[in-house]
Amino acid sequence: MVTVHSSLLQRHYVAHPISLAAFFCAGAIVVIVIIPFLIAYASYSFWLKENTYREQPTVSFRHELMYSIQDSSNYNFFTTFPEANALDSGHLNVPIIQSAGLDDNGDGKIDRFRFNITSRLTSGQTVQKVDLLLFFNYILQDRVHMSMTSAAHVSYSAGLPGSQLVVDGWLRLKQRKPLVVRSDYRTVYNTAIVSGFTSDDYRMHTILSNYLDRNETTMLEDQYPVWIGNAGGGISEFTLSATIRIPFEIVHYVPPFSETMKWAWVQYLSILIPVAWIAHMIMTFAYKNQIFETRTVTDIPIIKPHQM
């Protein structure tokens, strides 16, 4: 003979609705439902208010910059904003600017930018301090959709005159508050960072102060500056060489309702299963050993004999 199917016979413990056995059953059900919730809620982040994910942003150079070189007594500057250049044309020095965006891994996103800025110096002019402000288009498009104008600031001063500054750093995303997940793009800061009518509006410290008031910004971090001094004297030009790398970022965001509920349900269910199993074993022991008086009913199918 071959067993083609098998099923378990259920044993039912029956009691009056108003009895200790019924009250014990109701209490066990309450414990099974409530205890996992209390344990999950008492643990960290049952209701997920903030989450993170990893993304490499899409960054492009806006071909906008502000640049200045100075020594102890004089300075020169250049910007890509004609209004700013016109306000102090006496100290304007137009440099040779070279820039390139490099996609090292061929994924369609820029991994690093290279900049070379060379300024011609007048006779006797030296350089001891350099400031550079670069502007980029910065886009997040994975979990969070955001498009903004961002900046990178390079600043270095030395005690001795130099002929070149070499800088290598990472363009890092900064957030004061997590971003909200939405279907359309957040474009609150997708506007020009530099604008104004007076000379104070185009001062670098004013621009940086207004820029840092934003919720989302970028900063050039982990810079490794190398200052090449002017050992022989009488240099005719100064060069700033900068490499700006675009790393993967940890983006903070506010999870939507569906994600919050999914995370809460996973935590609740992970505690509910063992609690329900323990409660079931206790109830089976209590009713099987008649700790509470019940009547036992077993599923025994009635098989009618075949009539020939």
Side-chain angles (χ1 to χ4, degrees), residues 161-206:
S163 61
Q164 185 177 7
L165 172 64
V166 180
V167 176
D168 199 323
W170 301 86
L171 188 68
R172 306 308 305 241
L173 174 66
K174 299 296 180 180
Q175 299 176 247
R176 290 186 174 184
K177 298 179 181 179
L179 296 167
V180 177
V181 176
R182 46 195 292 180
S183 58
D184 58 336
Y185 275 82
R186 173 178 168 85
T187 57
V188 176
Y189 303 121
N190 196 22
T191 57
I193 296 177
V194 179
S195 62
F197 302 97
T198 65
S199 59
D200 188 61
D201 294 329
Y202 290 99
R203 295 184 187 277
M204 200 169 292
H205 69 269
T206 302

Side-chain angles (χ1 to χ4, degrees), residues 283-296:
M283 292 174 68
T284 300
F285 176 83
Y287 291 130
K288 186 176 181 180
N289 292 278
Q290 290 296 303
I291 296 177
F292 303 102
E293 185 178 355
T294 60
R295 182 166 57 90
T296 305

Side-chain angles (χ1 to χ4, degrees), residues 229-275:
N230 180 21
I235 60 172
S236 60
E237 61 183 28
F238 179 85
T239 301
L240 169 60
S241 299
T243 300
I244 298 180
R245 304 176 187 273
I246 312 299
F248 277 83
E249 292 290 352
I250 303 298
V251 182
H252 296 258
Y253 70 95
V254 178
F257 177 76
S258 59
E259 184 176 341
T260 301
M261 291 303 298
K262 181 184 72 173
W263 177 249
W265 173 249
V266 168
Q267 293 184 83
Y268 177 75
L269 189 62
S270 65
I271 302 173
L272 174 65
I273 293 174
V275 169

Side-chain angles (χ1 to χ4, degrees), residues 1-62:
M1 302 296 289
V2 178
T3 302
V4 294
H5 179 70
S6 62
S7 62
L8 299 177
L9 295 178
Q10 293 290 331
R11 179 179 295 175
H12 303 277
Y13 299 93
V14 182
H16 192 274
I18 302 178
S19 63
L20 290 178
F23 292 153
F24 177 74
C25 178
I29 294 174
V30 172
V31 168
I32 292 173
V33 174
I34 299 299
I35 292 300
F37 175 79
L38 295 178
I39 296 175
Y41 188 81
S43 63
Y44 178 72
S45 70
F46 178 71
W47 296 114
L48 195 61
K49 297 180 180 179
E50 181 178 337
N51 205 354
T52 60
Y53 77 96
R54 190 168 177 264
E55 177 185 356
Q56 184 182 21
T58 301
V59 183
S60 60
F61 181 46
R62 291 174 58 91

